[in-house]
Amino acid sequence: SQQGEEDPQALSIQEGENATMNCSYKTSINNLQWYRQNSGRGLVHLILIRSNEREKHSGRLRVTLDTSKKSSSLLITASRAADTASYFCATAPPIGSGTYKYIFGTGTRLKVLA
Amino acid sequence: NAGVMQNPRHLVRRRGQEARLRCSPMKGHSHVYWYRQLPEEGLKFMVYLQKENIIDESGMPKERFSAEFPKEGPSILRIQQVVRGDSAAYFCASSPVGTSVIIDEQYFGPGTRLTVT
């Protein structure tokens, strides 16, 4: 498996339900970010969590980070049809690692049914 | 304040032709990243540039691909002698000058969809 794997690959829920998606990574990170991509569009930055943080909130989004397990989760509460999109995690390498390569996960395709 | 701009949005090339993709970062941003996305996949890092410098090109194929970010003008991703396997969406992202080496947030352009026939 490669850095930045997400599960599930696809998720279908009813409007109003919560959606949880997970991201696992392999190497040390400076921070982890979640992005949303609507079909055929560019990515929109949702939230960033640093390696020394465990949880972060932004509106209906809640992100957790467990560096011991090298995993993160994104929770979207009270989902709406407009949340239908693909969600990607991306890891930024540690400062001084010699690389600037952000690594994106494979994505979770979320479909929210009205 | 205009966001990151990419053009063209769609580009069709025959095998063997050259493709030039342009990215204008947000105003005040001097860092540009290029990514490639195949259908149903995540983004794959290609190259990271600052003005007039290639900082990290570890994701660029060794042949046919090149990138630049001149002092004036947009960043250019150039693909020579395109092949069908180059068909993909190419995204650029820009970041502002920061005090740390790692830039926190990237702002993405809408992408260029390259189709090689």
Side-chain angles (χ1 to χ4, degrees), chain B residues 6-54:
Chain B
Q6 289 187 249
N7 65 82
R9 294 292 306 276
H10 299 274
L11 181 62
V12 179
R13 284 285 178 267
R14 290 198 183 93
R15 277 181 302 168
Q17 291 184 319
E18 178 180 289
R20 291 171 72 88
L21 287 62
R22 287 178 290 278
C23 169
S24 296
M26 286 181 71
K27 188 176 180 181
H29 287 193
S30 59
H31 303 256
V32 166
Y33 293 76
W34 283 95
Y35 296 88
R36 176 164 61 180
Q37 185 180 34
L38 295 171
E40 307 298 322
E41 293 190 11
L43 276 69
K44 295 289 192 290
F45 168 86
M46 298 181 76
V47 62
Y48 165 46
L49 311 104
Q50 293 179 12
K51 286 276 187 184
E52 300 184 279
N53 281 309
I54 296 175

Side-chain angles (χ1 to χ4, degrees), chain A residues 58-105:
Chain A
S58 176
R60 293 184 296 113
L61 306 180
R62 174 177 165 255
V63 168
T64 62
L65 179 65
D66 186 336
T67 51
S68 66
K69 294 181 180 176
K70 290 187 167 59
S71 68
S72 173
S73 67
L74 171 68
L75 168 68
I76 304 174
T77 60
S79 62
R80 305 166 182 168
D83 295 329
T84 295
S86 291
Y87 292 82
F88 295 91
C89 67
T91 55
I95 295 173
S97 63
T99 179
Y100 305 88
K101 194 172 177 175
Y102 283 69
I103 299 179
F104 279 77

Side-chain angles (χ1 to χ4, degrees), chain B:
Chain B
N1 184 17
V4 178
M5 295 167 63
Q6 289 187 249
N7 65 82
R9 294 292 306 276
H10 299 274
L11 181 62
V12 179
R13 284 285 178 267
R14 290 198 183 93
R15 277 181 302 168
Q17 291 184 319
E18 178 180 289
R20 291 171 72 88
L21 287 62
R22 287 178 290 278
C23 169
S24 296
M26 286 181 71
K27 188 176 180 181
H29 287 193
S30 59
H31 303 256
V32 166
Y33 293 76
W34 283 95
Y35 296 88
R36 176 164 61 180
Q37 185 180 34
L38 295 171
E40 307 298 322
E41 293 190 11
L43 276 69
K44 295 289 192 290
F45 168 86
M46 298 181 76
V47 62
Y48 165 46
L49 311 104
Q50 293 179 12
K51 286 276 187 184
E52 300 184 279
N53 281 309
I54 296 175
I55 305 301
D56 185 344
E57 56 181 347
S58 57
M60 287 275 274
K62 293 284 185 278
E63 297 177 350
R64 302 188 299 107
F65 285 73
S66 62
E68 62 176 11
F69 189 15
K71 188 176 179 182
E72 302 290 339
S75 175
I76 306 285
L77 179 67
R78 184 178 173 210
I79 311 172
Q80 295 178 289
Q81 299 175 326
V82 296
V83 300
R84 288 221 172 96
D86 297 332
S87 295
Y90 292 84
F91 291 94
C92 83
S94 74
S95 285
V97 174
T99 55
S100 75
V101 176
I102 295 293
I103 307 302
D104 283 346
E105 184 173 336
Q106 300 177 38
Y107 296 81
F108 279 82
T112 292
R113 274 147 191 84
L114 173 65
T115 301
V116 179
T117 60

